[in-house]
Amino acid sequence: MKKKVILPKHKFHIKTGDTVLVIGGNSKGQRGVVKEVIVEKDRARIEGVAMITKHIKPTASNPQGSLVKTEGSVHISNLMLIDPATGEPTRTGRKVNEKGKLQRVSKKTGNFIPDPAIR
């Protein structure tokens, strides 16, 4: 039996390591760095944004149990990329760079946005 592979529905305008602004929801106006992009659910976890409280069950090593604060996820549509060159939120597009590869580009300034892994 073949293993079912889940492919993304579309390309995302943000990547892990990008700085983003939350433009909708309870965390509106907050900025943070993307820790993880959850492709299957079109969501992302952002450092210090959308904090939730998890209840941890008591175990032998932790007999009291505990409450842990952790980042929840935010839908991709509620995020806007912060242009690293200007520090302003911007929409993104895609253009072919001088090496012939598709790269994200800022709609505000027209500058290429460097890959977060390279920064």
Side-chain angles (χ1 to χ4, degrees):
M1 187 164 176
K2 287 187 178 181
K3 191 174 184 180
K4 192 173 185 179
V5 179
I6 299 173
L7 297 173
K9 296 175 207 139
H10 48 80
K11 278 278 198 179
F12 294 128
H13 61 281
I14 62 163
K15 296 181 180 182
T16 303
D18 281 337
T19 304
V20 294
L21 172 70
V22 181
I23 58 171
N26 291 340
S27 302
K28 184 176 180 175
Q30 293 183 356
R31 290 179 182 220
V33 177
V34 178
K35 288 175 64 174
E36 174 189 13
V37 176
I38 306 163
V39 176
E40 299 84 28
K41 296 183 179 178
D42 293 351
R43 297 177 82 80
R45 291 192 203 287
I46 295 109
E47 224 170 80
V49 176
M51 299 302 284
I52 59 171
T53 304
K54 282 190 163 189
H55 295 260
I56 304 299
K57 248 181 155 176
T59 61
S61 61
N62 183 11
Q64 283 291 86
S66 61
L67 295 173
V68 176
K69 287 245 183 213
T70 184
E71 287 96 2
S73 62
V74 178
H75 198 271
I76 294 280
S77 66
N78 292 330
L79 301 175
M80 194 170 218
L81 182 71
I82 302 291
D83 190 351
T86 62
E88 293 289 316
T90 182
R91 293 179 298 136
T92 58
R94 294 179 187 279
K95 279 189 183 173
V96 178
N97 64 9
E98 54 276 350
K99 295 179 183 174
K101 289 190 80 176
L102 262 182
Q103 191 175 356
R104 296 180 300 168
V105 66
S106 168
K107 292 271 191 169
K108 246 184 202 179
T109 62
N111 299 333
F112 285 108
I113 297 168
D115 197 31
I118 298 169
R119 279 187 230 160

